[in-house]
Amino acid sequence: MAALGSTALLLLSVAVVTLSPLMALQTVSVAGAQRLDPAQVSAALDDQLGTPLALLDEGAVRESLAAFPLIRSYTTEIVPPHTLVVRIVERVPLAAIDRGGSVELVDAAGVVVERSAERPAGIPLIAPESADIESLAFESATAVLSALPAELRAQVDVITASTRDDVTFTMIGAGHRVVWGSAERSAFKARVLAAALGTTSQSRAWEYDVSAPETLVVRGL
């Protein structure tokens, strides 16, 4: 009985400390913000201040952070006695869309990460006919861009698609045209394209068809 009493007293003590103002949230620390203002993200969670750490409302935190479209994902960590650390992963530009007068830099989901007057170097442009973010064409183009190695993606000039299987793009420099097909086996296709680029003259434009990577086809333009 004495042991049971001691255990109950211990549990009660833990509960009192955990749920008391002694363990209430006082500070929200935001890590990982590059484009976002950490102070704004922290301020969005002010309604949680004063709440015992054990009673923080995860649903309310999720709803508050959903107001920031640039947050792709996040994790939280409780650091007793008074701190909540929010580690965010921001969306990053994958492609550019020319909206006439301005350029939208979007991620694979079509979320606008940034707007600028000109397309930055190294960001592929999605052709106007494929730029509707609700379309299969946009989904197909961004699926391929997401699958490309970073060094190859930075060489893509304009990418276009109409179905999942007919993605094509041009490359900066000599103006090569690449018939990619679908996003499937993109790692293999990238290796085949790299080998083809290394064995053909780069002083003229070529069409590289890697849609069936085992049977590369190279044509002069």
Side-chain angles (χ1 to χ4, degrees):
M1 293 296 294
L4 289 176
S6 299
T7 300
L9 181 60
L10 176 60
L11 292 175
L12 178 61
S13 300
V14 170
V16 169
V17 172
T18 303
L19 302 178
S20 77
L22 296 175
M23 295 283 283
L25 180 64
Q26 296 182 6
T27 303
V28 177
S29 175
V30 177
Q34 300 294 325
R35 290 180 168 84
L36 289 169
D37 181 352
Q40 290 185 347
V41 178
S42 176
L45 301 177
D46 278 353
D47 59 345
Q48 296 294 311
L49 296 179
T51 304
L53 295 178
L55 297 180
L56 290 178
D57 189 335
E58 293 183 7
V61 170
R62 182 168 58 252
E63 184 176 346
S64 295
L65 295 181
F68 298 90
L70 290 187
I71 296 180
R72 187 180 59 139
S73 62
Y74 72 90
T75 59
T76 59
E77 178 186 1
I78 292 175
V79 181
H82 303 299
T83 301
L84 175 69
V85 178
V86 181
R87 294 186 173 86
I88 65 176
V89 177
E90 292 184 339
R91 299 180 185 274
V92 295
L94 178 70
I97 298 175
D98 189 341
R99 294 303 188 190
S102 68
V103 174
E104 294 179 349
L105 306 183
V106 300
D107 73 346
V111 175
V112 178
V113 177
E114 186 179 330
R115 290 180 173 86
S116 63
E118 297 181 349
R119 174 170 51 132
I123 300 293
L125 178 70
I126 296 181
E129 62 269 25
S130 306
D132 179 358
I133 64 172
E134 301 295 333
S135 69
L136 178 61
F138 177 87
E139 179 184 338
S140 301
T142 53
V144 168
L145 290 176
S146 298
L148 291 178
E151 64 275 11
L152 179 56
R153 185 167 61 244
Q155 298 178 58
V156 175
D157 186 15
V158 181
I159 187 168
T160 186
S162 58
T163 71
R164 295 187 187 278
D165 301 318
D166 70 348
V167 178
T168 62
F169 57 82
T170 57
M171 300 182 69
I172 58 175
H176 303 311
R177 182 175 185 269
V178 179
V179 180
W180 197 264
S182 72
E184 295 180 1
R185 307 178 72 192
S186 284
F188 183 25
K189 292 176 182 180
R191 292 195 298 271
V192 171
L193 178 58
L197 290 170
T199 55
T200 50
S201 170
Q202 297 303 293
S203 62
R204 59 166 296 181
W206 299 93
E207 179 180 86
Y208 301 97
D209 187 338
V210 296
S211 57
E214 296 89 347
T215 55
L216 167 72
V217 178
V218 180
R219 308 179 184 91
L221 294 178

